[in-house]
Amino acid sequence: MDFDSALKMIREAAEFDSEWYLRKYQDVQMLGLDPAYHFLRYGRLLGRSPGPGFDTKFYLDTYQRPAGTDASPLIEYLCAEDKDSRATTADRLQEQMQALHHSSLAAWKEAGSADERNPIISYCVPVMGRLEDLRGTLEFNLIENSRFADDVEFLVIEFGEQGDVREWIEEKFPDELQRGYLRVVTDKESLDTWHFGKAKNAFRRYLRGLVYSSLDGDNFVTAGETEQLLKIFQEFPHGFVFHHFTGEWGDGTSGRVSMLTSVYRSVGYDPLLLPRQFDEMDLILGALRRFPAMPFIGVNSDRNVFTQSAFAQSFFQEEKLANRKLFVGNCDRKAPLNPRGASYTEETPYLRDMNNFNANSSAFRHGISPKRKQKYLDRISRHKHLLAESLPKEVCLSTFFRTSDIRPMPAVDRSDICLFACVHDEGHFLPKLVEHYRKIGVARFFFVDDGSQVAVSDLALGKDVYSFRPKVGTFRTSKTLWLEALMKAFVPEDGWVVTVDADEFIQLPEPFADLREVTVDLDRQGLDFAPALLLDLVPSELDSASMENVLGEFDSFFDSFCYREGEPSEAYQKHPSVRWGFGSHSAVSWAVDTRFHAFETFDSLRKLPLFRYRSNRHLNQGFHTFHYLDGTSPPGHEIWTVEPILPIFHYKLVRLFSEASRNKMLEMSGGYHARTNQNIARIFDAKFEETVANLTRLSEDFRPKGDAATRGLFTSLRRQVG
């Protein structure tokens, strides 16, 4: 940044107070210099502050600066992406952390525990079916740390119904329980299968210490480690992140982290990450991102997570984290009962892929700039494809879905056509969707119910309908991974499947009577998928739109689609979305592109909804194409030269005629890619009268939806393609 630009920025900054600066540094007035000019030219060299709200010495002592920088600390602060998180005086940091402490107590303090002892450290030990680990470690830990009993508690949470951990602890350690040095809590609800993040989040309600410290059941903690942690707390009472990692993967230390309880409670482990790998690192990076004034404290300066993990180092640098890195040296340690060894992750491919997926999901969650977040999202896409291939079939369901949803079912025959869809609060579509696809040959239905208020399982859709609620992942990062996990669990290799959204109804063009006939025809041509074209349906009588009944009667009320003959405009042909999906065949899209003609948005109308399931074939988020990891080329524009092209009745615009549905679409838009998000906002954030006016302009181009199945429509389209 040049001097004049920096000077302008300082003059406009709320942190620069010219009157205060003149009073504080009287030599400036004696020299007759402009205060902002003096501060920028000389003040930074003298360590001066620009105003009462920015303490330069505090800033320099608190934050790690970019290597080689000579910029003014104030300029550096003003340009920082996370400046709103950076305290600029010691008083503000103290106020920030005190407010966090009080809000943490209000949100998480266990009822009735206010008068209990309040230690400094809570060693938090989650256990699920691993009593033998505790038998080998807990007694040692209690004896070893007995001289710190006033400052330390060991808190064990037993997950599940077994109860043997509590029974053993109560029998073995009654005195320690009586003193509160040891506590045990039974949690029967949080986990159905093991999940590191969810298990370690469960301590937020119960721990009483000022410092949270994670401790696996097979970990030992020595007196030297406790003494070291107490000293760190005394030196950094306003916050720190201490990673106990020695630099040796698999020695039991990489998963151990300590921080203020208020920070742990407010940041938390991400419960939506996959069940294991990177959970502790996500907590560390999230805490550093949110609280840049907190130092990262490691054991060894030359062997710590930022030297041993290229991903962590890259994230720290690319996100320009300002946390200082400090190192305290090693102390006496005792190896865990079950050391895994340095290469255990690399030796198990699905653990490696799970780690990479979680790492980039964490980066996506904690990243700031849209450009970097998109980079993380692109990486997530690749790693979820790798995971879909490497994850053993027998753990697909338990990894992603609640075990209560998994019920016995007859094996899927290779001749069965199965439908897979991810749905959220779309119960108004599902009964008619299931009825429609049953009639055209679908044998089984598999729905991922992504948090619907009325569960899909409560809709009584039939014995051939199976619903699964995901316990990990988000729609944005995991929609297709959920679906592929279900396919891997249930569908034989090369079995035919349908993937659609809840508002997409495939129609059969003449002369096909059901989907089986379509698959036979595709087999005859040597094809293993069918292309499809989205037809956004609209009501022909716009004045009769009813806010009350449109959702329940969508299939009869929405009775038309737009069909506009002629050459596409040059701008339409050249738009990246159209060019990617249709290439020289853009006339196919142009003819039926209701959303472009009515709202001037560009959405891909290309779909590949019917295909043979193969474990190396991966779904695109919008089902527009396939992805492969072995170099196989994805389907190109040649798909528009084959038959049949399947029309899909798309009832997306039904949501325009319900205020609640419009708001729901806007609320959910953040789960889509940026361009789709913008398109949704443009369509659904307009006034209802404007929407009607836009559609009315197209009424001359409306055709009855029954025409979509006739050969005439597609013959005309194919003539335009030709």
Side-chain angles (χ1 to χ4, degrees):
M1 180 182 297
D2 62 59
F3 186 86
D4 289 341
S5 298
L7 185 60
K8 182 175 185 294
M9 180 178 288
I10 285 175
R11 283 180 171 146
E12 294 175 351
E15 291 76 14
F16 183 76
D17 186 331
S18 58
E19 293 182 3
W20 180 91
Y21 192 79
L22 288 171
R23 290 195 306 271
K24 179 77 172 175
Y25 308 111
Q26 296 183 12
D27 59 318
V28 179
Q29 194 166 11
M30 293 171 59
L31 293 170
L33 294 178
D34 171 64
Y37 177 90
H38 181 277
F39 173 75
L40 182 59
R41 179 68 74 188
Y42 307 111
R44 67 186 180 92
L45 301 176
L46 298 171
R48 292 183 174 180
S49 299
F54 190 99
D55 184 334
T56 295
K57 184 179 186 305
F58 169 84
Y59 190 88
L60 293 174
D61 289 344
T62 302
Y63 301 104
Q64 175 176 294
R65 308 191 70 202
T69 185
D70 64 350
S72 162
L74 178 58
I75 293 293
E76 179 187 310
Y77 164 77
L78 293 173
C79 293
E81 292 177 325
D82 62 349
K83 73 184 186 77
D84 291 341
S85 298
R86 298 191 186 188
T88 52
T89 69
D91 288 343
R92 287 187 179 177
L93 177 59
Q94 183 175 0
E95 291 170 2
Q96 179 189 53
M97 300 313 292
Q98 285 180 343
L100 182 70
H101 175 70
H102 291 307
S103 64
S104 165
L105 288 178
W108 291 104
K109 192 69 172 179
E110 184 183 11
S113 65
D115 296 330
E116 300 290 344
R117 66 190 294 270
N118 292 297
I120 294 175
I121 300 171
S122 289
Y123 285 119
C124 297
V125 189
V127 182
M128 188 176 191
R130 299 286 294 272
L131 174 58
E132 287 307 307
D133 286 348
L134 277 189
R135 288 183 185 274
T137 61
L138 185 56
E139 184 172 16
F140 171 90
N141 289 340
L142 292 170
I143 295 173
E144 174 76 2
N145 291 276
S146 59
R147 65 187 173 99
F148 301 111
D150 290 339
D151 294 325
V152 169
E153 70 166 348
F154 285 86
L155 173 59
V156 178
I157 294 186
E158 178 185 21
F159 296 94
E161 302 281 348
Q162 198 164 350
D164 54 349
V165 170
R166 172 182 283 277
E167 182 178 342
W168 174 75
I169 287 177
E170 290 179 344
E171 179 180 345
K172 181 78 173 175
F173 305 106
D175 293 340
E176 290 81 355
L177 289 169
Q178 178 67 31
R179 300 200 321 263
Y181 178 40
L182 171 65
R183 290 193 295 135
V184 60
V185 172
T186 300
D187 184 331
K188 298 180 180 181
E189 303 296 329
S190 295
L191 301 180
D192 58 357
T193 55
W194 182 253
H195 187 287
F196 273 96
K198 292 179 182 179
K200 294 181 180 183
N201 270 345
F203 292 90
R204 288 187 287 187
R205 184 173 301 281
Y206 301 108
L207 62 83
R208 295 171 184 164
L210 296 172
V211 173
Y212 160 81
S213 189
S214 61
L215 196 68
D216 290 338
D218 66 346
N219 287 163
F220 294 98
V221 56
T222 66
E225 291 178 273
T226 297
E227 186 173 22
Q228 185 180 62
L229 182 53
L230 287 170
K231 287 179 180 178
I232 290 172
F233 172 70
Q234 289 172 358
E235 187 173 353
F236 302 99
H238 297 313
F240 60 89
V241 174
F242 178 33
H243 194 199
H244 301 245
F245 182 41
T246 64
E248 296 293 335
W249 299 113
D251 72 351
T253 60
S254 63
R256 292 189 56 195
V257 61
S258 300
M259 61 183 61
L260 294 186
T261 293
S262 56
V263 173
Y264 151 72
R265 282 171 168 161
S266 64
V267 177
Y269 294 81
D270 187 350
L272 297 179
L273 291 182
L274 300 182
R276 57 185 302 175
Q277 304 303 123
F278 211 78
D279 43 279
E280 230 77 37
M281 276 309 306
D282 172 72
L283 176 67
I284 290 171
L285 295 179
L288 296 178
R289 164 94 284 173
R290 184 168 171 186
F291 299 100
M294 291 194 317
F296 169 83
I297 301 176
V299 174
N300 299 316
S301 59
D302 58 338
R303 292 180 65 80
N304 59 81
V305 73
F306 294 109
T307 62
Q308 303 301 91
S309 167
F311 185 92
Q313 183 181 58
S314 173
F315 181 86
F316 196 97
Q317 292 173 347
E318 291 185 5
E319 293 295 326
K320 299 180 176 63
L321 297 186
N323 310 79
R324 288 178 299 159
K325 296 176 185 174
L326 307 174
F327 300 95
V328 294
N330 217 331
C331 60
D332 291 338
R333 296 180 184 275
K334 185 175 173 63
L337 288 178
N338 308 306
R340 296 178 180 275
S343 59
Y344 80 96
T345 299
E346 291 302 317
E347 293 170 355
T348 310
Y350 83 87
L351 290 182
R352 177 197 61 218
D353 297 332
M354 194 174 284
N355 182 80
N356 291 332
F357 179 89
N358 278 351
N360 284 282
S361 297
S362 174
F364 178 74
R365 177 190 178 203
H366 300 305
I368 291 180
S369 84
K371 183 177 181 180
R372 291 195 300 272
K373 288 176 78 72
Q374 185 58 52
K375 180 185 71 173
Y376 302 137
L377 199 60
D378 292 342
R379 290 176 180 172
I380 289 170
S381 182
R382 172 173 172 77
H383 290 302
K384 71 181 176 184
H385 299 334
L386 288 165
L387 182 61
E389 293 187 18
S390 65
L391 195 68
K393 179 177 180 177
E394 59 271 17
V395 299
C396 279
L397 297 182
S398 62
T399 296
F400 295 102
F401 305 104
R402 301 183 191 184
T403 54
S404 58
D405 295 334
I406 302 171
R407 56 188 173 95
M409 65 181 73
V412 173
D413 189 82
R414 191 170 177 273
S415 63
D416 291 338
I417 299 175
C418 298
L419 182 146
F420 294 83
C422 181
V423 302
H424 174 75
D425 287 339
E426 292 170 298
H428 48 283
F429 287 127
L430 293 185
K432 292 181 179 179
L433 182 89
V434 170
E435 179 185 8
H436 169 77
Y437 281 101
R438 269 198 198 111
K439 287 181 178 178
I440 62 173
V442 168
R444 308 274 186 93
F445 298 82
F446 297 88
F447 291 118
V448 175
D449 183 358
D450 186 20
S452 298
Q453 291 185 10
V454 178
V456 173
S457 58
D458 292 337
L459 297 178
L461 297 173
K463 293 182 178 180
D464 55 353
V465 177
Y466 307 89
S467 67
F468 301 83
R469 292 168 295 173
K471 61 186 181 184
V472 293
T474 68
F475 179 86
R476 183 81 177 269
T477 63
S478 306
K479 170 190 172 184
T480 58
L481 185 54
W482 294 333
L483 296 177
E484 288 185 43
L486 289 178
M487 291 179 193
K488 189 169 190 175
F490 295 113
V491 179
E493 193 81 3
D494 280 332
W496 284 98
V497 298
V498 172
T499 55
V500 291
D501 292 331
D503 56 6
E504 296 175 354
F505 290 60
I506 293 175
Q507 304 302 304
L508 297 174
E510 297 174 346
F512 300 105
D514 62 34
L515 286 171
R516 296 185 193 86
E517 292 184 6
V518 176
T519 62
V520 169
D521 189 68
L522 292 170
D523 284 337
R524 179 184 57 79
Q525 299 179 67
L527 301 174
D528 58 7
F529 69 89
L533 191 62
L534 280 179
L535 305 181
D536 286 300
L537 296 189
V538 292
S540 59
E541 298 182 14
L542 291 163
D543 291 338
S544 66
S546 168
M547 300 286 279
E548 289 75 27
N549 63 19
V550 65
L551 292 179
E553 301 176 13
F554 68 89
D555 54 337
S556 58
F557 186 70
F558 280 68
D559 56 6
S560 305
F561 64 95
C562 172
Y563 186 80
R564 176 174 291 184
E565 296 188 5
E567 284 296 315
S569 67
E570 184 177 356
Y572 186 86
Q573 295 179 58
K574 291 183 176 180
H575 190 274
S577 177
V578 176
R579 193 167 65 245
W580 173 83
F582 294 87
S584 62
H585 310 301
S586 59
V588 174
S589 180
W590 168 271
V592 295
D593 199 337
T594 300
R595 279 175 274 174
F596 172 76
H597 296 311
F599 308 105
E600 298 183 343
T601 61
F602 289 91
D603 301 86
S604 182
L605 305 186
R606 158 183 166 149
K607 291 278 185 171
L608 302 178
L610 175 65
F611 58 92
R612 284 194 183 277
Y613 165 71
R614 287 177 183 147
S615 56
N616 71 330
R617 168 181 278 171
H618 303 291
L619 303 176
N620 165 268
Q621 181 83 351
F623 310 140
H624 302 302
T625 190
F626 302 126
H627 301 291
Y628 300 90
L629 299 174
D630 59 4
T632 301
S633 298
H637 304 140
E638 75 282 352
I639 65 174
W640 304 114
T641 66
V642 303
E643 289 187 353
I645 297 174
L646 302 176
I648 299 180
F649 286 173
H650 191 207
Y651 292 98
K652 186 185 192 80
L653 299 183
V654 168
R655 299 172 176 89
L656 283 170
F657 294 83
S658 162
E659 192 68 26
S661 295
R662 291 162 73 98
N663 292 335
K664 190 71 174 178
M665 279 298 298
L666 293 170
E667 175 188 327
M668 294 173 57
S669 64
Y672 297 94
H673 292 293
R675 179 177 54 79
T676 304
N677 190 2
Q678 293 168 1
N679 290 343
I680 289 174
R682 182 163 190 156
I683 296 172
F684 290 90
D685 204 21
K687 293 182 179 179
F688 180 72
E689 294 77 15
E690 183 180 343
T691 297
V692 171
N694 287 334
L695 293 175
T696 300
R697 287 191 291 104
L698 298 182
S699 57
E700 292 184 0
D701 296 316
F702 288 175
R703 293 186 61 163
K705 64 182 183 182
D707 288 356
T710 64
R711 275 194 180 275
L713 175 79
F714 285 87
T715 300
S716 175
L717 284 176
R718 296 181 66 77
R719 187 165 55 246
Q720 293 181 57
V721 170

